[in-house]
Amino acid sequence: MRIRGPVMLTLLSVCAGIGALAAPATAAPANAYDQTMLETLAAQLRVSPLQAAQKLDHEKNLISSLENIRTRGLHTDGAYFDDAGALVVNAADAGSAQALRSAGLTPRVGARGENALNALAATVGTVIGGDVGQVQSWGPELAADQVVVTVQPGADDALVRRLSALPGVAVRTGVANGNTTQADVIPGQIMDLDPGTNCSLGFPGTTSDGDNVLLTAGHCVEGNPDILNRNGVHIGRGVATEFPSVDMGLMDIDDEDTGRGYVDTRKGTTVRITGSSKAPVGTTLCKAGNTTGWTCGKITAYNQTVRYSGESVATTGLAKSTVCTEGGDSGGAYIAGNTAQGMTSGGPNDGHDCGWNQGSNATGSYSYYQPVVDAASNYGVTLTRS
């Protein structure tokens, strides 16, 4: 969200089962990853930096195996990391399951799967219809193989009954105040908006005609504001926003300024950007933001629809994570290893406090982000890499 002073968002500790993970045979040494990321993960997971590096390497190896088997033409229908660190993949039949098992992956047969859950989420939106003001969010939860709808406290019983009657739909009650939206041009640093509010810088890149731009949260650049860096120097101007239908926006970087292919961790170090993706649910990731600094967690869901407080239109296509954020972090950069994931959109408006460069381990914390690959595709942007 835009703010006039520092405001933040919250984080969950991740992957309690890390201690059970054996180091992969090809495990990278701890110094193969950015030290700041390892230190933050290690502190939140209560393990050593070496064990944190082994966790990241374990995830990277399994994701690579999944990408390879998809390249060879095997159809899959969604994948997620379970609490034990296995990459579970929805398979169509026993033959596909065997191929996945041979690749070191864990098949699941008989689930609804990602495509069916996305279709069910669309049906949920139709059932909600004009009652969207009573709903905070809805979308698939792949591991649970269901669509979860979060309603406002005091939502009409008739609406709850209609939603609960849909097979595969679970209804929960949300927080009292709902959700709120939360410049060299360096991802993670402050994005001062003129007049008087601020967000955080997202990912720079270039358009097909060579223009230097920055992908950010759409609500940060409503009205095409002038944008200043932390030193008060003009670095660009908002030029496009799709908010509130989705939360993606574009800033045009001034000709004399340069977008950099790394994320400022706000701890005196940077993390290189080597690519972008939608990593599987359960993947470890961290974000840099001006309010809460460097906080880490895991991806919990995709294709989430959220109604932010004060908005009559719901925002679609968001990802959900346990990364801690607060107001002013909006637009800030999420990254998994060295792979860009998205820009902060918002989270619960419950007055929680993440702290600075640490986050909260309170159960139930969550945040939403705009996947960067969707924003880049929409605007025809190629991300700047290290």
Side-chain angles (χ1 to χ4, degrees), residues 295-344:
T295 54
C296 301
K298 65 180 178 180
I299 302 167
T300 56
Y302 285 106
N303 195 28
Q304 300 294 293
T305 300
V306 180
R307 187 188 64 81
Y308 287 122
S309 298
E311 298 290 341
S312 59
V313 176
T315 301
T316 64
L318 299 178
K320 190 176 183 181
S321 79
T322 63
V323 171
C324 189
T325 60
E326 297 183 22
D329 285 330
S330 286
Y334 286 67
I335 192 164
N338 297 104
T339 306
Q341 296 298 314
M343 297 80 67
T344 302

Side-chain angles (χ1 to χ4, degrees), residues 1-300:
M1 122 181 117
R2 293 190 190 182
I3 59 167
R4 299 186 180 277
V7 182
M8 322 189 230
L9 245 152
T10 43
L11 150 96
L12 287 178
S13 58
V14 297
C15 295
I18 184 174
L21 286 179
T26 57
N31 63 8
Y33 296 98
D34 295 278
Q35 195 60 32
T36 300
M37 179 179 288
L38 293 182
E39 290 171 357
T40 304
L41 282 176
Q44 293 174 356
L45 297 172
R46 296 181 176 86
V47 297
S48 70
L50 176 60
Q51 288 173 306
Q54 291 170 342
K55 172 178 174 54
L56 292 175
D57 202 59
H58 175 84
E59 292 179 358
K60 182 172 67 175
N61 289 342
L62 289 179
I63 291 171
S64 179
S65 294
L66 177 59
E67 290 173 347
N68 288 339
I69 202 166
R70 284 172 171 168
T71 300
R72 297 201 299 270
L74 182 71
H75 172 71
T76 62
D77 197 15
Y80 64 93
F81 284 100
D82 67 15
D83 290 340
L87 184 52
V88 181
V89 185
N90 289 326
D93 50 42
S96 298
Q98 182 54 48
L100 291 166
R101 199 174 289 110
S102 298
L105 305 169
T106 302
R108 180 171 70 166
V109 179
R112 291 183 179 87
E114 187 173 58
N115 291 329
L117 289 176
N118 286 337
L120 179 56
T123 299
V124 166
T126 300
V127 171
I128 291 170
D131 291 325
V132 68
Q134 299 188 54
V135 177
Q136 294 182 3
S137 66
W138 69 92
E141 289 199 1
L142 192 64
D145 201 38
Q146 62 186 8
V147 170
V148 174
V149 184
T150 303
V151 298
Q152 291 277 66
D156 288 346
D157 289 343
L159 173 62
V160 173
R161 285 196 298 271
R162 289 202 307 273
L163 293 169
S164 299
L166 296 173
V169 172
V171 180
R172 300 172 184 168
T173 301
V175 297
N177 296 323
N179 300 302
T180 183
T181 55
Q182 302 252 161
D184 283 348
V185 180
I186 300 173
Q189 291 186 357
I190 190 171
M191 179 181 186
D192 249 338
L193 310 172
D194 185 15
T197 61
N198 67 75
C199 281
S200 301
L201 292 170
F203 292 101
T206 55
T207 60
S208 58
D209 59 4
D211 191 24
N212 292 316
V213 295
L214 181 96
L215 294 167
T216 185
H219 70 269
C220 289
V221 289
E222 285 188 295
N224 296 336
D226 286 302
I227 296 166
L228 314 177
N229 70 4
R230 59 186 177 184
N231 298 316
V233 176
H234 193 282
I235 55 174
R237 183 178 179 84
V239 292
T241 178
E242 316 302 317
F243 185 78
S245 58
V246 292
D247 200 5
M248 58 181 72
L250 202 63
M251 163 189 142
D252 184 60
I253 297 175
D254 292 341
D255 291 343
E256 66 271 21
D257 298 320
T258 303
R260 298 298 184 183
Y262 52 82
V263 177
D264 182 350
T265 67
R266 311 310 300 275
K267 299 181 77 170
T269 60
T270 60
V271 174
R272 296 172 295 111
I273 301 168
T274 60
S276 59
S277 74
K278 282 185 178 179
V281 167
T283 300
T284 303
L285 79 170
C286 300
K287 82 95 191 61
N290 186 60
T291 303
T292 60
W294 188 248
T295 54
C296 301
K298 65 180 178 180
I299 302 167
T300 56

